[in-house]
Structure formats: structure tokens, C-alpha cells
Amino acid sequence: MTAPSAAGLTPGSHGRDRLAEPLRAVVGTKTATALAKLGLETVGDLLRHYPRRYDDPSRLTDLADLPVGDHVTVFARTKSTGIRPMRGKSGFILSAVITDGHRDLDLTFFGKNRGILAHREHMLRPGRTGLFTGTIGEFRGKRQLTHPDYLFPEDAEERTRAAERATLPTPIYPASGAIPSWGIRAAVETVLDTLREEDVPDPLPEAVRAERGLPGLLETLRLVHAPRTAEDWQAGQERMRFEEAFVLQAALAQRRAEARAQPATARAPRPGGILDAFDARLPFSLTAGQQEVGATVAADLARTWPMQRMLQGEVGSGKTVVALRAMLQVVDAGGQAALLAPTEVLAAQHARTISAMLGPLAEAGMLGGADRATRVTLVTGSLSAPARRAALAQAASGEAGIVVGTHALLSQGVQFADLGLVVVDEQHRFGVEQRDALRAKATHAPHLLVMTATPIPRTVAMTVFGDLEISTLREVPAGRAGVRTHLVPLGRPGWLERAWQRLREQVDDGARGFVLCPRITAADDAVEPGTDLTEDVPDEDGAGDAGGGARGARGDGTARAAGPPPRPLAAVDDIAARLRAMPLLAGVPVGELHGRLPADERDATMAAFAGGAVPVLVTTTVIEVGVDVPDATIMIILDADRFGLSQLHQLRGRIGRGTRPGTCLAVTSAPPGSPAMERLEAFAATTDGFELARVDLAQRREGDVLGAAQSGRGSSLRLLRVLEDADIIDAARGEARALVDADPTLAAYPVLARTIAEQLDPERAEFLDRT
């Protein structure tokens, strides 16, 4: 995550905005320039740049786990030193070894002048203990720091102060080559020494602090940056975690209160309407979960304030039926419903599925249409001009009770006669502004139902979707055969060939098969928008982060170790051509599907696949959600290590949707023990999406999960951990809601209001990008 702004740090009563003051005015131009490379521009920025950890001066840093490529600061003792001439060129090498008492780490310095290196060798003489900072590299299988910075306490300060410091925790900051941890620490101390209480207005209301026994903000910053005991920094971090949770929950509570304050048209159930007729023609019974959630949604729709509900559920749990029943209730009450889908493939699938489920109920005014009926229309960007005019006319006149579409629904030309319900499918693909743009097309605030098939742990839901009420479907309708998942390591001879044999066997049995690729074409490296090419994947030398290989193209400027050229990722055009030429698949038609194809070609391809004319479909993640082909029983995911867990789970959900069991084969070159392989092993071990979501969140960095999604909001979560801090989030949510319920505009809490505005401004308030 990028460094935070000075959110929540606003002018004191004396009128000086100390925490918005440029750092150069306090720490000098040279230090400020170095800090700016970390994104730290103001006093507030620096004070919100918290230590990564705290070292105990009485104990050396454990050198056992220092990942190659990481910029580190370690507290260690010099074990040995030595100078030798360089081989084949002029100059000398100073080699030193530091130790934690159990493990060693090499230090290497190069120089033309032996005298300069000799002076450095004297500084590093054996037995001295100090701080060493640099980027972990690797040479001949051994980790090392090349030209690290170092600091010995007696060199930097008076011996009396050094003796005092020897008993205090040492803050270790996220640093860079421009400025080491101790340089940041010195700058923080300089800043803290200049501040008074009035310089640091506190976003946490005094009553909330008193209730929980929390210190004020300036005292907290001193506990975090200049602790005298471990209990100090622990208490400081606890207070800051609560503040982060409270500010976020207050913002969400405000949003929830604003929505509830808007009037909405009540859409109560109407006996004998289209909904009752639909229920009567359903060929299956609703699950207990569908019935329970359906009753809750029906009650929400009957109220005079807008429903704000998220429906999450496992792949195949029947969310579409619940959403359709809600839409029909609104249609029965004289309104319209709009279903917003992230892709044209999914929008078209929804329109077809809804029309098929409704049958004559979707054919109002048509020959054979039911007496009680409506119309379903599709609005996408690729419609022909005549088709678009017809669809827009049906939406504007109210003839279409259900309008399905993509982002095209958000355009100015789309109007509704009486928009009563907005259903957003795959909520994580849309931002707040996008869903609000559609809701703005209604005369009165429409009801809102957002759906996601990406299971979300409760703490994430509270943190990210706290303005919504949440319903969950866990049951899968009876009759689903399920899916078994197997890993196919590319290093195992014959395993990939066996995967293709399984594909042929399934096709011969009358089934369909997907072959997933991360790229569209081999020529231009194009990938489908939304493809989760996760970071912790094999590097060019074939080693993952945990495999010991050097990292490349890093943000800290370290170079990737030389190695063979990377194996290109599988591409739809290349794999489809290979399969067509494969003797094993002779006579089997192979189709191609990706987002670049024209809409009519995509529709024709999907129809041919569903009907069996083209039983093998080589595709990108364009089929990730919503695609429902009951005869699809096998999926081969190539370069599976390149996808995140939630996306793998979504892809797997496209098979095994009928009465025949599904087989998912995840092909990978990830090395054993790497994060990518651990992710795939978890994927193969369970089909429980909520468990996979928990594993995914635990493995990803929190900033990746929340930062990219919340675009600004992520900067406020510096210490809060949504898995570990469930109790804090829960407590903050309750107190924030109570405070906002009593004072929706936060008129009595101006510092909190300003903090929310700075951290969660509308342009940056995006919701979850991937979970």
C-alpha cells in the first residue's frame, strides 16, 4: 500500500496545521527528499508510517527467515571480517559475517582503495553489535547484504544515551535504500519533539476513548514510535487498530444512515401476481436457505426506505432464483428491476436464463404469453442500433419489467419508467459510483440487492460492506453431483497427457469440457480484463518466492538473477490450435471464447458449446461467473498457479452443475513449497468457498486484499488485520453505528468527520476489487 496521507491529523485550535506541514520545514531538505521516496511528504505522513517491528536490544535478530529481495534491518553481532583482492580485475573485496548466535549472514563490500576498506573493516571488527540494513541477495546459495548501511550505537550518540537506549525497544521501520530505519527513527523523534496536544486533534471521540480506556492520539503516537517497554507499543498499536476500525465503520454507518433517510416506494408482495405464477411453475423446491433469504428480502422490499442488502453464496447455491423472485415482487408492485452484470457474456446468460425460467411469464403482449406476464430485455454496448433502440424503448415505457445489462445500463440514454430494484451481480466488479449511477435513474431511491459468488469472511464483509445488510446462502440445491479437483504438475512425466485423455473420455461420454488459459493470444500477451494474475507465482528462473530464487523487476531496484527466458503463459489461440492438431482429439470440434470476440460470435460459440456441437471450449476467465452448462463436466486450467484462490473457485464452479460429477485439473509449474503451490493445494483440498476465502486472505498481503479494492480506504488500514482483529472490528462497528444513529452528520464530532472526508473521499471510495 502507498503511504497514507495525514488523514485524521487536522489543525489544532491555535490555527497552525502542523501535521500538514512539509517535512523539509522540520527535518531539512536532505532527509525530506529521502523520506519522499517512501511517499512521506508531511509531518502527518511520517507519524502514520508505523514501525514494522520492534527489536529487543538485549536479543539479536533471528536471521533464519530473511526472504531474498526484501529490504531488511537486523540487529546482529560481527563474527569475522577479511579483505582479499578481486579476481581478474583491480580492486578489493571486504567480506564480513554477522551472526545472531545461531545463524550467519554475509556482508560484502567492493572498493578500489584498500585503505578505505581497511577503515570499514576496523569499524566492523568482530564482537561489535549494531544495526545492519540493506536488500537480501543471494550468491552461490548463500544469502548476503551487499554494501549495507550499518550503525553502532556508540558511534551515533552520547554513551549515556546509548546506555539508556540499550534497555528500550528499538523501532524498525519499513525503509529503503534512500534512508535506513534509524534515519526514519531520528526524523520521527525530531517531529514528535515539536508537537503539542493541540497539534494532534483526535478522531476518536473522548467518550469512546474513555469507555475503552484508550490514550489520546499524541500519547499513542509516542507509545508507537518511542516506547519504553513492549507494553507501550502494544498498547499504542491496539489503540490505532481500534481507530482504523472505528473511522471506517463510522463512514459506512453514515452511508447506511444516508440511504435509510431517503424515501423509497414500498413494493409489497401481491397475491396472485407473476411471482406466485413463477413459484407454481418452478420444477424444483427452494432450499431452506433460499426460502429464508427470500422472506427477508420480501420484507425489505415492503418497507418505505430502500433495501441495502448483499446476498453472498457458494457457487451454484441459487442466488439467481432469489434475485429473480425479488425482481418479480417489484414487477407485481408496478415497478421495474434492473440487473447489472460485469460482462456481456454474463449479461446475455442472465437474460436467457431468466427468460427461460419465466417462459410465458416473460412474453407479455406476445402470442402464447401468459395473462400475468412481463418482458425481459437486454442492454449491452454491442447491440445493433435497431436492437438498442427497441431495448431502450421497452425500458423507458415500462414494457420491460426486467432490464438486464452491462455498464451500458449506466449511460445517459438509458431511462426507466419506474425503477424499483437494482440488482448488482458480482458486486466486487463494480465501484460505489457505478451502482449509485444506476440507482440515480429512479425517481425515488430504488431498493438495492448486490450479489457475489465470491464467499467473503465475516470480518471482511464487516470491513468492506458494512453499509449493507448481509444474507448468506450455503446450501447447494439437491441433484448437484459436485466436483473433484486434482493438481497436474508439469514436471511429472505423462500427467498432462493423461489430462488430455480425460478430456477425450468425457467428450466421448457426451459431456463438455473447458480449457482455461490466462492469455488471449500468444502474440501480444493480452489477458482478459479481470484476470487475477497473482504476484506470488514462479519467477523466470522457475522458483517462487519461497523457492529461494532471486526476485526480479522489483520496486526496490534490485535486479533479477540471470536465468532462462520465461515459459510463455498459455494463450487461447495457441492452445486451441494445438488441440485441433492433437491426434488424441481427432474429430473433436474445438471452440474459442474470449472478451475480444464480437458479441454475436460469443453468443454463437456458447450456444454451440452448450448444445454439444463444439464440446471443447478453450477460453479465458470470461466464463468465470454465471455461465451455466449442465453437461460441462471437466475443466483443465492451464497455468493454474497464475490465478488467485477466489478466481479458481469461481472457474471450477462452471462444471458439475448437472447430475454428472465434475473433474477439475489444475495444471501448474509452481515448485513444491512455494506460496503458489500452497494456494493450489488448498484449492484441491476443499470446495468450501468460505474456507478458501479465509486461506486466500491469510496468504495475501492485507493491502492487496483491501488496498486495491478500496483505493484510498486501504490507506487507513495500516495496523488492522481483518482476520485477527474480528473483535475490534465488531466493537468498533457497534459504537460507530450508535454514534452515527444519534448524530448522522457528525456535527458534534468535526475531527472524525474531517478524517472520514480525507480518508474516504468519494472519488476514492471503491469497494472490494478481489477477495
Side-chain angles (χ1 to χ4, degrees), residues 7 9 47-48 50 54 200 202-204 214-225 233-247 716-721 725 728 759:
L9 307 179
L47 293 180
R48 294 287 185 169
Y50 304 129
Y54 298 84
V200 192
D202 199 328
L204 280 184
L214 299 175
L217 184 54
L218 180 58
E219 181 185 351
T220 298
L221 291 171
R222 287 174 174 152
L223 292 173
V224 168
H225 291 292
W233 63 259
Q234 289 165 0
Q237 286 191 348
E238 188 76 4
R239 139 74 208 228
M240 296 313 301
R241 279 193 289 270
F242 184 83
E243 178 189 313
E244 290 174 4
F246 186 85
V247 170
S716 69
L717 301 188
R718 304 290 293 171
L719 296 173
L720 192 71
R721 295 295 176 260
D725 296 330
I728 293 176
Q759 290 186 357

Side-chain angles (χ1 to χ4, degrees), residues 309-313 319-324 339 350 423-428 449-454:
R309 184 165 295 277
M310 181 173 75
L311 174 58
Q312 66 169 340
K319 295 180 296 298
T320 302
V321 172
V322 173
L324 178 54
L339 171 57
H350 274 312
V423 179
V424 181
D425 194 14
E426 289 310 306
Q427 162 64 30
H428 65 285
L449 178 66
V450 300
M451 301 191 298
T452 178
T454 301

Side-chain angles (χ1 to χ4, degrees), residues 52-69:
R52 169 182 291 161
R53 69 174 195 275
Y54 298 84
D55 278 351
D56 180 348
S58 66
R59 300 176 59 186
L60 302 180
T61 302
D62 186 352
L63 302 180
D65 185 21
L66 299 176
V68 172

Side-chain angles (χ1 to χ4, degrees), residues 26 33 104 149 153 254 305 323 362 491 512 629 660 663 692 699:
V26 184
T33 299
D104 298 341
D149 288 324
Q254 271 194 308
W305 62 86
R512 320 280 185 271
V629 180
R660 292 192 287 187
T663 299
L692 290 176
Q699 191 182 68

Side-chain angles (χ1 to χ4, degrees), residues 347-391:
Q349 166 101 16
H350 274 312
R352 286 194 300 268
T353 299
I354 290 172
S355 296
M357 294 177 72
L358 290 175
L361 297 174
E363 299 173 353
M366 300 173 64
L367 186 63
D371 293 336
R372 295 166 295 177
T374 186
R375 296 288 289 274
V376 178
T377 193
L378 176 67
V379 178
T380 65
S382 63
L383 289 178
S384 65
R388 179 177 175 82
R389 283 195 297 270

Side-chain angles (χ1 to χ4, degrees), residues 425-508:
D425 194 14
E426 289 310 306
Q427 162 64 30
H428 65 285
R429 299 289 189 90
F430 297 98
V432 175
E433 295 89 345
Q434 291 169 311
R435 80 183 191 194
D436 284 353
L438 183 54
R439 295 169 68 197
K441 294 180 180 293
T443 304
H444 296 292
H447 299 282
L448 174 69
L449 178 66
V450 300
M451 301 191 298
T452 178
T454 301
I456 302 170
R458 175 174 171 270
T459 48
V460 178
M462 285 194 302
T463 303
V464 183
F465 297 107
D467 60 331
L468 305 176
E469 302 301 326
I470 299 173
S471 294
T472 300
L473 290 176
R474 290 184 177 269
E475 297 174 83
V476 175
R480 295 285 175 87
V483 180
R484 296 187 65 181
T485 303
H486 305 278
L487 302 187
V488 181
L490 282 178
R492 298 284 186 89
W495 281 43
L496 182 57
E497 289 75 8
R498 176 57 185 146
W500 300 128
Q501 290 173 3
R502 293 285 295 274
L503 177 62
R504 179 65 198 238
E505 292 166 3
Q506 295 288 310
V507 170
D508 287 345

